[in-house]
Amino acid sequence: MVRNIMLLLVALVPLARATTVPVTWSLAGQWQVHDANDSAFDGTTASTAGWRALKVPANWYSAGYDHQGALMYRHAFTLPAQPADTMATLVFDGVDYFADVTLNGQALTRHEGYFQRFAVDVTKSLRRHNKLAVKVDSPFEDPKKIWPLHKALMKGVLNQHDSRPGGAWSPEGQDANSGGIWAPVRLHLSRGATIDEIILRPDWRQGLDNPALQATIRYRALEGGSATLRLNAAPANFNGQRFQQEFPVTLEKTDGSARTLNVDLPMKAAKLWWPKGSGKPHLYRVRASLTDSQGLMDTAVTRTGLRKVEEQPENKGWLINGKRLFIKGTNYIGSPWLSTMTREKYRRDFRLVEEMNANAIRVHGHVAGRGLYEVADEMGLMIWQDVPLQWGYDNSAAFADNAVRQTREMVDQFGNSPAIIVWGGHNEPPWNSPWMEKRFPDWHKDLNRALTDKVADALATDNSRIVRRFSAVEEHYWAGWYFGTIRDLLGPAKTAIITEFGAQALPRLSTLKTIIPPEVRWPKTTAADDPGWTRWKYHNFQPFQTFKFAKIPRGDNLQQMIANTQAYQAELVATAAESYRRQRYQPVTALFHFMFVETWPSINWGVVDYLRKPKAGYYALQKAYQPLLPSIEPVTAQWQPGQPATVRLWAINDTWSACDQCQLKWQVKQDRRVLDKGETTLTIPADSGQKVQEVTVTPADKQDVEINYWIEDRHGKKVGENQLRVQPGVMKE
C-alpha cells in the first residue's frame, strides 16, 4: 500500500508548526548501529561510544557490515506538537528477521518475519524530541542442532539454498546474513483513525464484463462513531472510466488492535489485466478514504488489476480471463539481499525474461521486495509466488502456527498484485523428499507434513488464484544433472506441472575472473574432493555433477571449460523445454526452468550470470520458448554412419492467433551434402501442437549433421526457426 502523500524527510530540527494530517515522513538515512549479541547490552540507554553509521533501508551485509545475530539500531527525530486526536504510526516495510521496537524508552512491539509490512502505534509514546531504537535479530542457526533440517526461521532461500554464499549444506551455508532494516521506514500521522491495509480481490459472480472489487479495509480508531468510507478506482496506466462509491460505516474504538470494514465496489465494463503478449496489463489505482463530520481522517492508496485465473481439471490447462494459456516460465531469485534490488533492476531482469520468450517467473522459495510485484504488474509478467519455506523446519505445532500467520500476511499484503496467478506452498518438504534420509539420520517420512498442510490451507483461503499446496520432488525434472541422462527428458512427463529442470554452466571468462582468484582458477584434477575446488564450491559450483555425472569434459583451459559447460546446459534446457512443449496438455500445462539469473558472484544454474550477461543456455531457451515453435524431436538415440536415423518435426503455437496458410520448411545437411529437404503448407491453429513430418536420413560419415527447420507466414516472413546438430558415431547418453 502506497500513501498518496509526498514523503518528507524528518529533520533533527523542530518543524515550524504542526502539520496538516494525514501526512507521511520517511525515516530513511544514516542510523546508528551497535552489536547487540551481548544480552547485557542495553542499546536504548547505552552511550554513543562504539556505535557506527549504517544506511537504512539496507540489509546490513550489502551496506558493508558482515554481521550475524542481533544489531541495535538508533535514530532520533523531532516533531512539532500535534492535536490531541492525532494518531501516530511507525510503518516498517520489512525487517529481517526479529524486530523489537522501542520509542523514547517505551517497549512497543516485537515482530517476527522478514517480508511483511507491520505498523506500530506510537500515539502515546510520541514526543517533540524522539529517540527510536530497534533491536534487529537475524540469528545464526546452530548447524549442530537445528540447521538445516530443523530451521526455526521462515526465510526460505535467504537462509538455506544451493545458490547462497557457501551453498546449501556446507558449514558456511549461512554466510552473508540477510538481516537488517532492509525496506523503508515511515512515520504516518492521521486524525482519529488510521488505515493500515487495503486488501482487494476481484468478484466475478456477474461475469467478466461486470466485475466488482471486494475490499477489506483494516483500520484503527481512537474512538468509535459514524464515518464515511470512500473507495475510488482510477486507471493507473491507461485512459478510461473511474469507479467510485461512498459507504456509511461505523468505526469501533480499537485500542491498538485493527478492525475491518468490508465493502464491494462495482466496476461494470472495467478493463481487464492481461499477460504480456495476450493484451494490455490494465491497472487501477485504488484509494480508500475515511471521513467524519470534521473532514478527512486518513487516506491510503494501493494498486490492482482485474483478471480471472482458473485451473481446469484433467490437465486441460490454465485459463486467464477465460482463455487458455500455456505457461513457459523460469525460477527467479533477484538477490539474497533484497534491499539491493530496485524497481529499475527488476525491470532490467524482466526485460531479459520476456526477451527469452518466457511469460512467467516462479519467485523461488521467498517473498521479494515490493518493487518486483509492482514491475511485474506493469509489464504483464505472470508470477508463481512461493511461501518462504525451503526443505526442513522445526516440526512443532508452534512453528506451524507461526508459519500460517506469516503465510496469511503474505496473501493479504501481496495479494493485490494481479501478476501473482499462483500461490505455491512448501518447496520440497522433508516428508516428500526421501533423498534426505541419506543426509540426515533424524529424517522421517512424516517430517513437516502438518506444517505443509496447514500452510497450504492458509493459501487456499484466497480463491482468486491457483493454489499449489507444495512443490513436489516429482515436479522437479533433474534428469541429466542429479540423475539419469539428457535423453530421459524426451520421455513422457509424469506431472502436468514441471517447476524445475536445468544444469549448471560457467559464466563467460570476464565474469568468472571476478569470482575465482587466479591462484585457484585451474584445479589439478576434476575430482570433486580436489582441494582446488574449495573456493569454487563456496561459489556454488558442483564438480561432481559436472565432471562425473554429466561427464562434461573440462578441456585444456578455462575457455574450453566454459564453452563445454555452456554447451551442455544449452542442450539440456532446450531438449527439456521442447519435449514438454510437445506434450502440451498431454499432460504438461506449466513449465518452469531452474533458474534464470545467478544471484551473487556464483557459478550455478542461471542462464544469465550475476552481471546479467546471458549464457548459451539463455539463447537456447529463447529459441525453445518461441511462441510459434518449429520443434525437432530426435527419435533415433544414436546416429551412426551408414545407418538410417529419424527425427520428427512438430509445429507448436502457443498464441491465440492461427498461423494461416504457413509454409513449414526443412533441410538436413551433412558437410555440404543435402540429405533431405522439404516443405508443406498448413494452417497452425491457435493454442495448438501437432506432429508435421517424420524425416529419415542416412548420414554418410562422422561429420556433424545439421537439421534446419523453419516456419514462414503466408507473406514469406520467417516467424519461427530451429536447428539441431547431431554427431554420428558419438555415444551420447
Side-chain angles (χ1 to χ4, degrees), residues 655-729:
T655 76
W656 292 339
S657 299
C659 187
D660 189 39
Q661 295 297 299
C662 283
Q663 297 287 320
L664 283 70
K665 301 181 180 181
W666 61 90
Q667 185 179 75
V668 184
K669 295 193 302 182
Q670 187 176 42
D671 194 16
R672 297 182 180 180
R673 298 183 301 276
V674 176
L675 303 183
D676 188 88
K677 67 177 181 178
E679 63 179 82
T680 188
T681 301
L682 57 81
T683 292
I684 307 172
D687 188 25
S688 71
Q690 58 185 300
K691 185 172 64 176
V692 174
Q693 185 78 22
E694 191 167 279
V695 177
T696 299
V697 297
T698 301
D701 50 38
K702 292 186 177 182
Q703 294 189 71
D704 284 3
V705 175
E706 183 176 292
I707 304 147
N708 290 288
Y709 176 35
W710 65 99
I711 301 174
E712 297 175 359
D713 65 17
R714 55 173 21 183
H715 306 293
K717 179 182 178 182
K718 191 177 290 186
V719 292
E721 59 182 326
N722 207 350
Q723 183 185 84
L724 180 67
R725 298 181 73 91
V726 182
Q727 296 174 284

Side-chain angles (χ1 to χ4, degrees), residues 77-203:
F77 59 93
T78 298
L79 289 175
Q82 299 295 324
D85 60 353
T86 299
M87 292 189 70
T89 305
L90 277 173
V91 183
F92 293 85
D93 274 359
V95 180
D96 186 350
Y97 178 76
F98 295 101
D100 291 281
V101 181
T102 299
L103 183 64
N104 298 325
Q106 182 177 353
L108 297 177
T109 194
R110 177 175 173 82
H111 181 267
E112 176 180 355
Y114 81 87
F115 62 85
Q116 305 94 324
R117 176 188 295 115
F118 64 97
V120 184
D121 190 334
V122 296
T123 303
K124 297 179 181 179
S125 307
L126 201 65
R127 301 173 185 168
R128 181 175 179 82
H129 302 289
N130 297 277
K131 294 182 178 179
L132 173 62
V134 184
K135 183 179 180 180
V136 178
D137 190 5
S138 180
F140 179 84
E141 301 201 80
D142 191 341
K144 295 180 180 179
K145 295 180 180 179
I146 63 173
W147 190 89
L149 188 60
H150 305 284
K151 300 187 294 292
L153 309 179
M154 189 173 171
K155 293 178 63 169
V157 302
L158 303 187
N159 182 243
Q160 186 196 7
H161 197 246
D162 311 82
S163 66
R164 283 203 82 256
W169 314 105
S170 76
E172 296 83 21
Q174 296 180 73
D175 281 7
N177 193 297
S178 63
I181 303 177
W182 65 270
V185 185
R186 302 181 302 277
L187 176 67
H188 180 68
L189 302 181
S190 57
R191 183 183 61 79
T194 299
I195 298 173
D196 287 328
E197 200 74 52
I198 305 174
I199 301 169
L200 303 172
R201 297 293 181 269
D203 181 348

Side-chain angles (χ1 to χ4, degrees), residues 347-408:
R347 194 175 300 277
R348 168 204 61 190
D349 285 357
F350 294 169
R351 286 196 187 105
L352 285 170
V353 169
E354 290 184 344
E355 289 168 5
M356 195 178 74
N357 291 315
N359 57 17
I361 58 170
R362 176 188 175 199
V363 181
H364 184 93
H366 75 298
V367 181
R370 294 173 191 274
L372 180 149
Y373 308 95
E374 293 168 359
V375 172
D377 288 344
E378 294 163 4
M379 295 181 67
L381 182 64
M382 294 178 289
I383 294 174
W384 170 311
Q385 177 59 56
D386 281 348
V387 295
L389 290 173
Q390 173 79 15
W391 296 321
Y393 290 87
D394 177 352
N395 204 40
S396 68
F399 182 86
D401 290 344
N402 180 27
V404 166
R405 173 189 63 80
Q406 296 200 45
T407 298
R408 287 173 176 162

